[in-house]
Amino acid sequence: MESYVLGLAEDSERTAFEQMCTLHAEVRAARDAFELSLEQQALSAAVAPPVTLRQNILQQLAAETVPESNSITPVVQMRPIRRSPVPMAMRYVAAAAVVLLVASAGLNIYYFNKYRDYSQRYDQLLAQQTELAKNNNAMQTRMGNYEQTIKGLTNPYMAKITMEGKDVPNNGSPDPRSLATVLWDTRSKDVYLMVNNLPMPETGKQYQLWAIVDNQPVDAGMLDMSYGHMMVKMKNIPRAQLFAITLEQRGGSSTPKGPMYVMGKV
């Protein structure tokens, strides 16, 4: 009780004592009596101030001078800056936005890699399709040439001139085993050449067909070895006494300059 009245009790002790005063009237009466006794004791022990104390205080106040001032200094009240708290809902929205951004970036990378993979596959398929188309065109060309060769060989109006390396004068053929065939349409005068056996020319060289007309060589066309043993249409020759093949610079020559490989009489 003494600690409570003097203000020395803990919060828990004060709470427990106040509950006891509420429940028990005798405890409350004892508390009031103790407070009253303290008040009476304080009044009985009080000491009256000297009579001159009041006069001294008044004189000191009168002696103090207050400086005059025409300006009034404004009083600035400093108030702490309060930051408005961020609502919890906004935090969730911001977190969700970050998650969506990361997920979107991940999906973009994933689909970009897929797109690049499919693009590469498409390019490969397109290249394969282009290659197949080229091979198909080449095959169709070869088939057409084979059909043309068969028709030429079975055409009764087609004159066949066999050109051999051994028929070159003075054994002048670099390869006596060389062999080629000229098919000459006696009606249209179109000339077709079929290679039976000619060595592959070196780089920068190409075979050229000649028609000998009145002992003068006439260009009958250049030979492309890629056609193999198929019949290839050459230039139209109205008349000729001989046919021969020489090896010239790629693109041909106006007159024979290279070695003669084969020759045949009409």
Side-chain angles (χ1 to χ4, degrees):
M1 183 187 305
E2 292 82 358
S3 299
Y4 176 82
V5 174
L6 295 175
L8 301 177
E10 299 290 340
D11 292 340
S12 58
E13 294 177 349
R14 291 177 60 84
T15 302
F17 182 75
E18 289 175 355
Q19 290 179 355
M20 292 182 63
C21 292
T22 302
L23 297 175
H24 304 284
E26 59 274 16
V27 175
R28 185 170 57 255
R31 181 198 62 187
D32 296 340
F34 184 73
E35 290 177 350
L36 182 60
S37 63
L38 287 177
E39 183 179 356
Q40 291 176 355
Q41 184 178 359
L43 292 176
S44 62
V47 178
V51 179
T52 61
L53 179 60
R54 180 174 178 274
Q55 188 66 25
N56 292 335
I57 292 174
L58 293 177
Q59 290 177 358
Q60 290 180 3
L61 292 175
E64 293 180 356
T65 60
V66 180
E68 296 181 357
S69 177
N70 295 328
S71 62
I72 300 175
T73 304
V75 178
V76 180
Q77 295 182 355
M78 303 297 293
R79 297 181 179 179
I81 300 175
R82 296 182 181 180
R83 296 182 180 178
S84 57
V86 179
M88 187 62 67
M90 293 300 296
R91 296 182 181 180
Y92 287 133
V93 171
V98 172
V99 172
L100 289 176
L101 180 61
V102 173
S104 176
L107 288 176
N108 289 336
I109 295 175
Y110 172 77
Y111 285 118
F112 174 75
N113 291 332
K114 284 292 184 181
Y115 167 76
R116 184 171 58 182
D117 183 36
Y118 289 140
S119 179
Q120 292 176 353
R121 292 184 182 181
Y122 172 76
D123 293 339
Q124 293 176 357
L125 291 176
L126 185 61
Q128 293 177 359
Q129 184 179 4
T130 303
E131 187 66 22
L132 289 175
K134 290 181 179 179
N135 295 336
N136 185 34
N137 293 335
M139 184 63 65
Q140 290 180 356
T141 302
R142 287 179 178 272
M143 291 298 297
N145 290 332
Y146 280 128
E147 292 178 359
Q148 185 178 6
T149 301
I150 294 174
K151 290 180 181 180
L153 293 174
T154 57
N155 187 351
Y157 299 98
M158 195 76 72
K160 180 180 179 182
I161 298 97
T162 302
M163 299 181 295
E164 299 183 71
K166 65 181 181 178
D167 293 334
V168 177
N170 301 322
N171 294 323
S173 176
D175 187 355
R177 298 171 300 175
S178 299
L179 179 65
T181 303
V182 168
L183 299 174
W184 190 18
D185 193 331
T186 57
R187 295 180 304 175
S188 65
K189 304 304 179 178
D190 289 334
V191 176
Y192 299 90
L193 177 63
M194 184 172 61
V195 174
N196 303 106
N197 183 25
L198 280 176
M200 187 63 63
E202 61 186 41
T203 304
K205 299 289 185 177
Q206 189 174 9
Y207 288 112
Q208 188 170 0
L209 178 65
W210 302 94
I212 310 301
V213 181
D214 298 333
N215 294 325
Q216 296 296 323
V218 178
D219 176 30
M222 304 303 297
L223 175 61
D224 189 354
M225 293 294 288
S226 62
Y227 287 100
H229 299 290
M230 295 181 295
M231 188 174 70
V232 181
K233 186 177 181 180
M234 308 300 284
K235 292 183 178 181
N236 186 278
I237 302 297
R239 65 189 183 92
Q241 292 82 40
L242 295 171
F243 283 96
I245 294 178
T246 61
L247 184 62
E248 306 293 339
Q249 294 293 330
R250 175 165 291 277
S253 176
S254 59
T255 59
K257 297 178 181 179
M260 184 181 295
Y261 274 77
V262 294
M263 187 184 71
K265 294 182 180 180
V266 177

